[in-house]
Amino acid sequence: MHPCRPGLYVVPNLPKDQTNGPFLLSGGEYTEPINLIPAKRPRRQDWDGELYENGSFYIGTRDLILKENSTQGRKVAYFEMEPEHSVDIDVDIDWPVAEERVLRFGYFGRGVSLMFCRVSRCLTDGRVFLSASGEDIVSIQTKDTTGLRMLQNDGVEVVLLISNEDPVTQSMAEKLKKVMGCEVMDVGDDPLRDVQLVVEKKRLDWKDVAYMGNDRADAACLNLAGLSGVPADAPRDAADAAKYTCHQAAGTGAVREFAEHVLLQKEKAKTQMKQDRIDRKNF
């Protein structure tokens, strides 16, 4: 069964007293509506047709509600929602399922256009190598830098975050700018303060932002971002705040994995907008 906008179901041979006339769909097929007469609307649990209403939203005119005592009627169409965006909450045990859907898929408008990524313990694995010459060395996985470039090629602005507590990444700032072609920004003990200024300056909502972190200090940003992720080895405080937990650990491909997740969600958002335009044109 698939969720849909309330008011229209694809069913054959309905009794005429339960219908309000046939509707022509965009593909040229006729379908019979049911559930337009409030007194005869079956419970969702009792309906075993192909589509069922999930009650996500209702659209009706003032006269329809006041004069006909109905939330549905007149010109009606249906919109089929993807299963991950429609969860029935009938009993307490349904809440964890709904929460997991939100954490896994996220919800945002036109898609992410800005991503913040911690360098230490996201782009790097947190280890520091001591060379014979006395220089401190860190390594960055090329698949992670490729993932960030994939985001940039798709129109997502990437901002790398470094901290005064990470002297090695501080010394790497200029090289990171040159290699990655993106901004490298210092953040303090509370990253939200610094990141919020950038979000406001670019006139974005948090739903348009992706954030990848790996520390308790990142929790507030992870909570606010439309899409947020942490590596597999993130501490619990950060993992609980993130909407996506990578299978890969920091410095071993986690950034690439999260970048692919962001691109997948962007593509789904684009597809949905395209479908919305088609539906409005045909309605």
Side-chain angles (χ1 to χ4, degrees):
M1 290 170 58
H2 303 286
C4 71
R5 177 178 296 175
L8 189 62
Y9 302 90
V10 180
V11 292
N13 303 321
L14 288 173
K16 292 302 180 183
D17 65 341
Q18 292 188 16
T19 69
N20 199 26
F23 288 81
L24 179 64
L25 302 182
S26 58
E29 297 180 2
Y30 281 92
T31 186
E32 296 279 354
I34 189 174
N35 215 12
L36 298 183
I37 304 174
K40 296 186 178 182
R41 289 169 60 175
R43 296 190 310 164
R44 183 190 71 253
Q45 296 92 328
D46 298 332
W47 176 252
D48 54 3
E50 181 183 355
L51 303 176
Y52 69 92
E53 70 175 0
N54 62 12
S56 291
F57 47 87
Y58 294 87
I59 300 174
T61 65
R62 180 177 183 274
D63 285 346
L64 184 67
I65 296 172
L66 296 180
K67 295 181 180 180
E68 300 182 27
N69 194 30
S70 175
T71 58
Q72 304 170 11
R74 311 286 177 82
K75 192 175 183 180
V76 179
Y78 74 84
F79 171 76
E80 185 174 351
M81 295 179 67
E82 294 293 334
E84 61 263 30
H85 298 303
S86 178
V87 181
D88 292 331
I89 300 178
D90 297 317
V91 294
D92 289 347
I93 196 62
D94 292 331
W95 283 105
V97 177
E99 181 182 23
E100 181 59 32
R101 292 285 179 89
V102 174
L103 294 176
R104 176 66 178 84
F105 295 98
Y107 294 95
F108 49 93
R110 297 177 179 272
V112 165
S113 58
L114 174 65
M115 174 166 161
F116 296 97
C117 179
R118 282 277 199 174
V119 173
S120 182
R121 298 184 300 279
C122 283
L123 199 57
T124 71
D125 61 6
R127 293 185 296 174
V128 177
F129 300 93
L130 304 178
S131 68
S133 62
E135 294 178 332
D136 295 334
I137 302 172
V138 297
S139 64
I140 295 177
Q141 175 64 253
T142 55
K143 66 174 69 173
D144 287 332
T145 59
T146 299
L148 294 179
R149 289 194 184 95
M150 289 165 57
L151 289 171
Q152 291 171 314
N153 291 337
D154 199 66
V156 178
E157 181 181 356
V158 176
V159 177
L160 298 178
L161 305 179
I162 59 176
S163 169
N164 291 328
E165 298 177 357
D166 301 316
V168 176
T169 51
Q170 281 283 336
S171 64
M172 291 170 52
E174 288 303 319
K175 191 162 187 177
L176 283 170
K177 289 180 183 179
K178 183 177 180 180
V179 173
M180 294 303 306
C182 60
E183 181 182 351
V184 179
M185 187 175 89
D186 279 304
V187 293
D189 295 337
D190 181 10
L192 178 58
R193 259 184 324 195
D194 302 301
V195 169
Q196 180 70 42
L197 293 175
V198 178
V199 174
E200 292 175 355
K201 182 179 179 180
K202 296 183 181 297
R203 298 182 179 180
L204 295 174
D205 292 321
W206 272 97
K207 69 177 183 295
D208 304 314
V209 174
Y211 190 98
M212 187 168 193
N214 193 8
D215 201 338
R216 175 185 298 180
D218 296 313
C221 295
L222 292 168
N223 268 316
L224 286 171
L227 288 177
S228 58
V230 293
D233 56 348
R236 183 170 180 177
D237 290 338
D240 287 347
K243 299 175 177 67
Y244 182 86
T245 300
C246 297
H247 298 286
Q248 303 296 325
T252 63
V255 173
R256 168 68 179 264
E257 181 183 341
F258 183 60
E260 291 178 344
H261 174 68
V262 171
L263 292 173
L264 175 62
Q265 299 307 311
K266 275 176 62 68
E267 186 59 35
K268 293 179 76 170
K270 291 177 184 176
T271 301
Q272 186 59 65
M273 285 196 303
K274 181 178 179 181
Q275 184 61 52
D276 289 345
R277 287 194 294 269
I278 293 173
D279 290 342
R280 287 195 295 270
K281 183 178 179 181
N282 293 335
F283 185 64

